[in-house]
Amino acid sequence: MSSELKTSTRRIGPAVVCVLAGDLHQGTADQAQHALDTALAELPEVLAVDLSGVELLASGGLNTLLRARTAAADRTVPTVLVAPSAGALRVLEITDTAGLFPVYATAEEAARHRARPPAPGV
């Protein structure tokens, strides 16, 4: 298993997009966790995690995503995924965790995510 993981973050309006690319597993979990914690520290309205470049998502990586989701929820920040690779999406499906994350095709769409729709007439 390669321990290669690249991370970056960027802000799109009220959202912070954390891009993870490469292999996401136990050996790279700390690096991914640091990137996600840093993104959440920016106090975004939405935490978007771009998984389009994830080649391998193993249990350590999945646990990292779930921990980030919990930390964000504690701050009432929704966590959404951007264009998960086929392999990453398959792992989410077989572990029955796919439903925990809204999925968007682009970071720009993810940045417009709202945790709750506005009340009628607002």
Side-chain angles (χ1 to χ4, degrees):
M1 237 187 277
S2 168
S3 63
E4 186 71 25
L5 180 71
K6 294 180 182 169
T7 66
S8 64
T9 59
R10 63 185 168 125
R11 186 171 275 280
I12 299 178
V16 172
V17 180
C18 183
V19 179
L20 304 176
D23 295 343
L24 187 49
H25 54 74
Q26 191 63 37
T28 59
D30 287 345
Q31 182 183 354
Q33 189 69 59
H34 178 73
L36 292 163
D37 290 345
T38 300
L40 192 55
E42 291 189 34
L43 303 174
E45 289 183 23
V46 177
L47 175 60
V49 184
D50 186 331
L51 299 179
S52 61
V54 170
E55 297 170 18
L56 171 75
L57 177 60
S59 62
L62 178 58
N63 286 333
T64 299
L65 291 175
L66 294 172
R67 277 193 302 275
R69 181 183 179 273
T70 299
D74 288 347
R75 296 178 175 132
T76 66
V77 174
T79 303
V80 302
L81 302 180
V82 177
S85 65
L89 190 56
R90 182 68 183 134
V91 169
L92 293 167
E93 289 170 348
I94 63 175
T95 59
D96 203 25
T97 55
L100 298 175
F101 300 96
V103 175
Y104 292 91
T106 68
E108 291 73 21
E109 290 174 6
R112 292 189 296 269
H113 174 83
R114 297 292 175 249
R116 291 184 274 273
V122 174

